[in-house]
Amino acid sequence: QLLPMMGDCQSTAAVEAADPAPMGPSGISKRVALGAGCYWGTEKFIKKEFIKKFPGSITLEKTKVGFMSPEDAPKIKNPTYRQVCTGESGHVEVLYVELNEPEKYFEELIRFFFTFHDPTTLNRQGNDSGFQYASFIFVGDDMQRDIAQKVKTELQSLIETKKVTRFSGKNVTSLISPIKVFTEAEEAHQEYLSKNASGYCNHYIRIKEWPKLEEATKSEE
């Protein structure tokens, strides 16, 4: 059976709700959900490339692609893939991640998240357009929120000082919201690009090395 490309939608099979987020030793949540456009590419870059940089940072078997809405009561509860593809269900395609040692790896993950997609194109990644492709960070607690906001603000400064120039726009549009109910995508969509090496992916690394903020500050003086 051929899997659909992102414009050809079919139903999801598995549905799960997010459990209360477990905490690391420092009190920061281990769980976060990240939306960066098509979830196949998000999964590929985080479960492969991030892991290469930080071995053991993620519990792979608990990290899945699926859907999440920032609303407590979205229009559709536990949506199908077809419903999410319309862009009208209020859900974002996400990778649901469980981190090991979040106090060590969460900030690194958020920085990496910003390197492989374009956070300046509102509700769009390349040819994929709609709310389901929004750049989104669903945080597990206030500590995660503060770190995510700090990195987002830092990236905005790097764009303004032209230390980062590979994005289409000038303003970081990524949203930060508390983690909500997670609907797991069907099994055929899990590890899709591992199963289909030539499958659809419009992600690529735009920032190879994260510039130091003080360097950006000096360039303003």
Side-chain angles (χ1 to χ4, degrees):
Q1 180 182 355
L2 295 177
L3 288 177
M5 300 304 282
M6 292 315 295
D8 183 12
C9 307
Q10 64 184 43
S11 300
T12 52
V15 173
E16 290 186 358
D19 298 324
M23 301 295 175
S26 66
I28 187 171
S29 172
K30 289 185 175 183
R31 295 185 182 179
V32 61
L34 300 172
C38 171
Y39 55 23
W40 293 339
T42 307
E43 179 183 48
K44 171 187 172 182
F45 275 87
I46 291 178
K47 292 181 77 170
K48 290 194 173 181
E49 302 305 321
F50 184 74
I51 285 291
K52 285 181 185 177
K53 295 183 69 173
F54 301 100
S57 57
I58 290 174
T59 305
L60 292 175
E61 64 272 17
K62 294 185 179 179
T63 298
K64 303 283 187 179
V65 297
F67 317 108
M68 189 169 290
S69 171
E71 303 297 330
D72 289 321
K75 296 178 184 177
I76 301 173
K77 184 178 180 181
N78 299 333
T80 65
Y81 180 42
R82 184 182 298 277
Q83 289 169 329
V84 173
C85 283
T86 67
E88 298 178 0
S89 75
H91 290 77
V92 178
E93 290 194 11
V94 299
L95 180 69
Y96 190 57
V97 179
E98 182 163 317
L99 283 164
N100 300 315
E101 299 184 83
E103 64 281 356
K104 181 178 180 180
Y105 295 118
F106 179 75
E107 185 167 341
E108 296 289 356
L109 177 62
I110 298 304
R111 290 181 192 279
F112 184 77
F113 162 78
F114 282 122
T115 68
F116 68 84
H117 80 293
D118 189 341
T120 70
T121 51
L122 182 64
N123 298 339
R124 180 173 63 82
Q125 290 298 310
N127 293 327
D128 295 333
S129 180
F131 181 72
Q132 69 271 34
Y133 301 119
S135 177
F136 229 113
I137 305 171
F138 291 95
V139 296
D141 58 19
D142 289 345
M143 290 181 68
Q144 282 194 0
R145 180 201 62 205
D146 292 345
I147 292 169
Q149 185 59 57
K150 180 187 79 169
V151 176
K152 176 183 174 181
T153 300
E154 183 176 319
L155 178 60
Q156 183 62 51
S157 295
L158 292 171
I159 293 172
E160 291 172 357
T161 55
K162 299 184 179 178
K163 291 293 181 179
V164 171
T165 59
R166 297 291 301 277
F167 297 137
S168 300
K170 301 297 183 183
N171 296 301
V172 180
T173 65
S174 307
L175 297 174
I176 301 170
S177 180
I179 205 164
K180 302 292 185 180
V181 173
F182 173 64
T183 301
E184 185 178 315
E186 61 188 275
E187 183 57 33
H189 282 225
Q190 308 296 334
E191 303 281 357
Y192 179 76
L193 292 176
S194 293
K195 302 169 187 172
N196 302 271
S198 61
Y200 176 81
C201 179
N202 65 8
H203 295 85
Y204 61 91
I205 295 295
R206 292 169 165 85
I207 306 174
K208 292 184 178 180
E209 294 292 335
W210 192 273
K212 292 182 179 180
L213 187 59
E214 54 267 27
E215 292 178 353
T217 302
K218 287 180 182 178
S219 69
E220 293 180 293
E221 297 174 352

